[in-house]
Amino acid sequence: MVGDQARGEMNAFQRNESKETLFTFISAGDDSPKGDFPVQKKSPKLCGSNYPLSIAFIVVNEFCERFSYYGMRAVLTLYFLSFFHWDENLSTAVYHAFSALCYFTPVIGAIMADSWLGKYKTIIYLSIVYVVGHLIKSVGAIPSLGNQVIHVILSMVGLFLIALGTGGIKPCVSAFGGDQFEEEHTSERNQFFSIFYLSINAGSLISTFVTPVLRGDVKCFGEDCYALAFGVPAALMVLALVVFIAGSGLYRKTPPQGNVLLEVCKCISFAIKNRLKNRSRHIPKRDHWLDWASEKYSKQLIGEVKMVTRVLFLFIPLPMFWALFDQQGSRWTLQATKMNADFGIYVLQPDQMQFLNPLLILVFIPIFDLGLYPLINLCKFNFTPIRKMATGMILAGLAFGLAAIVEVKINETDMPRLVPEESLIRVLNLAKNPVQVTIQDRDLFQQPVKAFQNPAEYSKLILNGEQQSLRFTLRHQGLSLAFNYTVKEKSVYSLIVFEAEGSLSSRLITDLEAKPENGLAAVRFINGLSQDVNLTIDSKRFIAVQKNYSASEYSLLERDKYNNGKCITEMGEFTLELGLLDFGASYTVVITNVSGGAVKTWKSEDIKANNVHMAWQIPQYLLISAGEVMFSITGLAFSYSQSPASMKSVLQAGWLLTVAIGNTLVLVVAQAAPMAQWAEFVLFTVLLFAVCIVFSIMGYFYVSVDPKDLEEKEEKRETASSRGNMISLVTQKTKL
């Protein structure tokens, strides 16, 4: 399959796979089986063409499987953040640990397929594991099932099985599809790969848009419906397995023939061990360190391993690109939760922004192949594959530079971060006249606070310890009243001043310390009436607030206009209008009186709404998607062209390993070096630019070769060496 694909000219769709790979572990599938195997039957053709009917089942299977995987992964970070209530660093770390595992396990699938079960049985068995993982993951997202420990255990077991399943079948499905074609139908086989990779992108595009809608717009168990968001991908994976099994009678099934990846690893291991055992100065040196494997392995295998290690050496800097690229599903999604998602005709879910990447890839492929690259060639600029990959790194670094700028703007609406022995306070004057507030030994509020004045920014209150009892003095119409309140460190307070029974009084209440998560709005009520009230906000949420300026707890609501609420008092039922509760804002609503059949309220904004629009993420998605086209697709095609036919699977292993290591790097940074998010974006930008310089230097000294030429040179060198040894032996015999 791969040999034909590489020798043919890859068209746009053949090279549009952004998240998968252009070739797979198919060492056993490239050549015809050796030995006495049953003759493979010919599959019925599709609509009278040369396309086997069996590929229809494989393409549908791949579409469903990719929908399943990317749909589940799209909501995974927010699941950790909102359902488990993990912090952002832990959520990011677990997300990237899962992603890394998905790119380590293909080696297991390749070994199973090529050395033991064959591709068909490997796909069946690991798909069953895949389905079980999805089902366990979906059950673990049901809030009423057990406590959080049970949820975490079920989710982690489910994710492990999903990683084993999706990674294990990754190196098998496309190769199995290529096996369905007869050798004379090369062009049809190449076209199949175009359709195959198109189905992958289609599954990714649709699922990353639809699954967040199932999570956020559908409510179950009184909150976001993660059980449904995971259940639909699980159903798609069940469908993928059913469709694949349905075509069982039509498939051509190639027996396993051994895995070249294992042979390469054994050859390298033997060469290293043999060299370490023979460190004496009296033992002649050899031209290459791999030549120390010649006692056990053939000259041909050693020569091919030499070729592929040249390319694998170039892979060393590549993980840093993937460390940035895969943060679209973690850090960038978390960034989107703190932005304004209202696009006028549609309110986008924060995890839906990920659909831009597969969409842009489908757009950029033909633009680059048919427009940009030919234009650069007309300008007589030698835009080599190494330069394309370096340019892709630069574009990804610029994308993270933009992400850092956006993060700085977002932080302008955040609450200040509190340190020990520090708290924040403000005054809400609900009395009829201005009030002057002073705090013991503090000089905070210089001017009197007017009645129902929009509160200014919070003032910083320095304490003498973890908590401190402070004396508050209120001056109102010539009278002075004093109150004592205990203030704790790292807390945020509002001092409510009001009139009760003809006298001035106050109450210290606790405010939110940070923005509501996931772009939700927080609202609480202060009942200024002399009777208890029962409030209904969105026909489902019921809030009881006691009389005489008692305060309710905060309620989290979706961003919307709430003008049809109800307020039930002893006097009857009245309409409650709250207006717009915006993304990420926190509000205090004071019920002042009832008149004219409606409740009169006063609303203050405790925490500012998200004022940076989500559209500002589009430039960074444009840059990183363009970088992916230049880096990933070019890198795969280049490395493919630089290795012998028998070593394609080894390069595949090396490429997937760079993705796994890249995700591991993010995990390490998130856990070992927690820092402000904008600073982390800058750190990754600087690291990628530094790695780009190293990669460019390595590429400058790299000499592009044709593997066939290297093979011929190796054969000539071995022949000359053999002749020299023969002459030496003859001379020695004559002397004897």
Side-chain angles (χ1 to χ4, degrees), residues 18-34:
S18 59
K19 302 170 182 60
E20 301 305 311
T21 49
L22 292 176
F23 48 89
T24 50
F25 295 103
I26 54 168
S27 56
D30 277 338
D31 304 317
S32 300
K34 299 177 182 180

Side-chain angles (χ1 to χ4, degrees), residues 77 103 105 277 315 335 337 346 387 454 529 531 573 685 692:
T77 301
Y103 286 94
T105 52
K277 289 179 180 179
F315 282 3
Q335 184 185 70
T337 64
Y346 186 76
R387 289 174 178 173
N454 287 325
L529 305 180
Q531 52 189 305
E573 181 177 303
T685 301
C692 180

Side-chain angles (χ1 to χ4, degrees), residues 9 89 191 245 353 426 474 512 526 544 566 627 683 703:
E9 180 181 356
N89 288 332
Q191 188 62 34
I245 294 176
M353 284 297 286
R426 65 171 187 170
L474 310 180
L512 287 182
I526 296 177
K566 300 296 181 183
L683 173 64
V703 179

